[in-house]
Amino acid sequence: MTGKNSWPTDSDGDMLRLLEERNFDFNAVHNIEFNIDFQAWPLNKDQQVSILEQLPDASFVDPDEDSIAEGDESGYVSFAVKSKVTYEFITQEQERLGDLFSDIGGFCNSWGVLSPCGG
């Protein structure tokens, strides 16, 4: 990129700046993973069914043994989308996913992308 972007000074903007510093290709389509957290975990069967009806490709991620040993027993739902990485897409998708599951205590404020950087 020839010029620096001016993303907002929030965690999403910070992540995009970090990717930019690592020569991330913002023009390519990437696999973006969103994590949907819940106020209570584990989810019951009805909640899991509801999630899979709305996001058939979602997966449920339970805490690992190390997290449990450290007192973190919360899992999350992982959902991946193929898209270009833009601030607008990231923030809108987090809001959409949070809204989908707010009635069962769901919220989305984290994401990640796997891509070679620094080429």
Side-chain angles (χ1 to χ4, degrees), residues 42 52 69 119:
L52 290 174

Side-chain angles (χ1 to χ4, degrees), residues 36-55 58 60 75-77 96-108:
I36 307 162
D37 297 298
F38 292 84
Q39 293 173 349
W41 192 268
L43 300 173
N44 66 42
K45 189 68 174 167
D46 290 340
Q47 291 169 323
Q48 291 178 19
V49 167
S50 174
I51 289 166
L52 290 174
E53 285 174 349
Q54 297 177 73
L55 303 174
F60 301 91
Y76 61 92
V77 171
R96 181 184 80 85
L97 293 169
D99 288 348
L100 274 177
F101 305 113
S102 63
D103 61 326
I104 57 173
F107 57 97
C108 181

Side-chain angles (χ1 to χ4, degrees), residues 63-100:
D64 59 26
E65 290 181 18
D66 291 339
S67 296
I68 293 171
E70 294 172 3
D72 181 6
E73 298 184 11
S74 60
Y76 61 92
V77 171
S78 174
F79 178 68
V81 178
K82 288 192 179 294
S83 177
K84 288 186 177 182
V85 177
T86 67
Y87 182 85
E88 292 75 19
F89 176 75
I90 295 295
T91 55
Q92 289 171 5
E93 188 66 0
Q94 288 181 105
E95 183 176 348
R96 181 184 80 85
L97 293 169
D99 288 348
L100 274 177

Side-chain angles (χ1 to χ4, degrees), residues 5-52:
N5 286 294
S6 57
W7 293 294
T9 54
D10 59 16
S11 60
D12 296 315
D14 291 345
M15 179 58 86
L16 294 170
R17 278 185 285 283
L18 179 62
L19 290 172
E20 182 178 48
E21 289 171 11
R22 295 179 177 176
N23 297 318
F24 182 81
D25 185 357
F26 287 96
N27 294 313
V29 171
H30 298 277
N31 198 33
I32 307 166
E33 179 184 352
F34 292 90
N35 296 335
I36 307 162
D37 297 298
F38 292 84
Q39 293 173 349
W41 192 268
L43 300 173
N44 66 42
K45 189 68 174 167
D46 290 340
Q47 291 169 323
Q48 291 178 19
V49 167
S50 174
I51 289 166
L52 290 174

